[in-house]
Amino acid sequence: MKKLLTTTVASLAMMSGLAYAENYQATNWMAPTHILNEVAFVPFVADVKAATNGEIDFEVYSSGSLVPAPTTLGAIGDGVAQMGIVAASYTPSDLPLSGLINDLAFVAKDDYATAFALTEIGLTNPKMVKEYANHGTVFLGGYSTPAYVFLCMKPLGDLNSIKGLKVRTAGTAQNEWAASLGAVPVAVPMTDVYSGLERGSLDCTLSDPTNLDKGYKFWEVVKSITTLEQGTSLGATYVYNKDFWNEIGPDNRRKILDATALGLARSQVAYAQGVAAALNGSAERKITIDEPHPELVEALAKFRSNLVENAPARTMKERGVEDPTDIVTEFLALQAKWTQLLEGVDRNDAAAIAKVVHENIFAKLDENTYGLN
């Protein structure tokens, strides 16, 4: 009877010339004011609703209110949510190749190029596509944070000042980096970092500066910022349930594909613009902002010099995959490609950036086949 009534309502809607709106769930563990929620999700969901004439309407669940970060991938695959944000650092055994790419971001210098390199390899490399498909999901694009820095409860100096400190990290590369300094890497969700710093279970967190004033509001608790740029952190901005992606049909898939480039571009622009605002606001709050000690700079250069070379073997050993050297080579080449593609493009103009991303990636995808195998 319920199915009959639903069908009847849908039929009446179509007869009256109105699209039948289907409500779906989107999950995001970020706070409502976080860039990856406020900028990446809210306007994107509105864009999709408008483009599909109301046929696809997502309700966004923020702050992990639907599912927490570590179980998001499984929840999307199981249909608890039809769309969500996924970070491989929370599930490295489930997404070993994505975790490898996140480790490589430790040497990233251009977060725009890194984000779009991740997006392109995730959409076009068969191994990457299959990695998400194995969990009943479809990857549709990724983000890169700005460069990570130290946010701490006390100023940092030379290497001795870091030894023994409990530092929140995300991913294998950050874990190994912190350990190489004599610090204690601590893996906890970002939602627990504020309280950890406040209670003393954490002394520092590695984070991009936008988390000072956006989302997690770390500037309410941290006392010191050390501006040692320690790569970026990557994630999948838009991941869909595979059955949902199949059921919405090629027309709606095309409309979502066409809307995605702008969603990704908005996020990167907001990230870039947010760094200066966060650091200026922190200075106004009398938070200490220090250049890194030369010993820290030297230690970082040494660590980075070995990371790329050692990444494939470590991934094979720890995550049980075949030699991923080809993934490393392709991702690094794509970073260089996107640095060139973005030359001369206004990095504050999301529409201009989205045009480049759409022309080089999303316009080339076939809505009749992508994500369906």
Side-chain angles (χ1 to χ4, degrees), residues 305-329:
S305 66
N306 297 320
L307 189 147
V308 173
E309 181 181 350
N310 295 336
R314 184 187 62 216
T315 302
M316 291 171 64
K317 179 181 178 181
E318 296 180 357
R319 298 168 186 166
V321 298
E322 296 179 358
D323 185 1
T325 299
D326 58 327
I327 297 293
V328 173
T329 302

Side-chain angles (χ1 to χ4, degrees), residues 8-211:
T8 301
V9 171
S11 299
L12 290 172
M14 287 186 287
M15 289 172 63
S16 65
L18 299 173
Y20 174 55
E22 186 75 41
N23 290 317
Y24 299 103
Q25 298 185 122
T27 181
N28 191 316
W29 70 84
M30 311 291 185
T33 57
H34 193 284
I35 286 169
L36 293 174
N37 207 334
E38 184 178 56
V39 178
F41 265 48
V42 175
F44 175 74
V45 164
D47 288 348
V48 169
K49 182 178 180 180
T52 62
N53 194 27
E55 288 185 29
I56 300 175
D57 185 10
F58 289 104
E59 181 176 0
V60 179
Y61 290 81
S62 303
S63 301
S65 58
L66 187 61
V67 290
T71 60
T72 295
L73 178 67
I76 296 171
D78 292 340
V80 175
Q82 286 68 51
M83 191 259 283
I85 186 167
V86 172
S89 58
Y90 286 111
T91 55
S93 60
D94 291 330
L95 299 170
L97 297 179
S98 298
L100 166 64
I101 291 174
N102 191 53
D103 291 340
L104 294 175
F106 197 88
V107 301
K109 299 294 180 65
D110 181 341
D111 52 307
Y112 285 80
T114 301
F116 302 138
L118 169 63
T119 296
E120 183 166 354
I121 196 171
L123 288 165
T124 61
N125 184 288
K127 291 181 181 179
M128 299 297 298
V129 173
K130 186 174 186 294
E131 181 166 85
Y132 275 91
N134 288 342
H135 299 281
T137 63
V138 179
F139 170 93
L140 223 67
Y143 67 86
S144 171
T145 68
Y148 269 40
V149 297
F150 279 114
L151 309 182
C152 299
M153 299 306 291
K154 67 176 185 178
L156 300 181
D158 60 12
L159 292 179
N160 285 328
S161 71
I162 301 178
K163 290 181 179 178
L165 295 185
K166 300 180 288 295
V167 180
R168 190 270 178 180
T169 54
T172 302
Q174 290 189 10
N175 293 341
E176 293 181 349
W177 161 240
S180 74
L181 298 174
V184 180
V186 180
V188 297
M190 283 291 278
T191 48
D192 295 337
V193 172
Y194 186 112
S195 60
L197 292 166
E198 197 172 37
R199 292 195 316 265
S201 59
L202 292 172
D203 298 301
C204 299
T205 181
L206 288 177
S207 173
D208 79 84
T210 65
N211 284 316

Side-chain angles (χ1 to χ4, degrees), residues 243-312:
D243 290 337
F244 160 83
W245 186 247
N246 177 56
E247 291 165 2
I248 63 174
D251 289 345
N252 283 332
R253 287 196 292 270
R254 183 71 261 165
K255 290 170 182 175
I256 290 176
L257 288 169
D258 288 341
T260 301
L262 182 56
L264 299 176
R266 284 191 190 118
S267 303
Q268 295 309 130
V269 171
Y271 262 138
Q273 293 176 344
V275 171
L279 292 177
N280 289 337
S282 296
E284 291 173 1
R285 286 171 170 259
K286 308 303 182 185
I287 296 172
T288 303
I289 302 177
D290 294 321
E291 294 291 324
H293 191 280
E295 288 185 6
L296 268 178
V297 176
E298 183 180 351
L300 179 61
K302 181 179 179 181
F303 180 82
R304 278 179 162 162
S305 66
N306 297 320
L307 189 147
V308 173
E309 181 181 350
N310 295 336

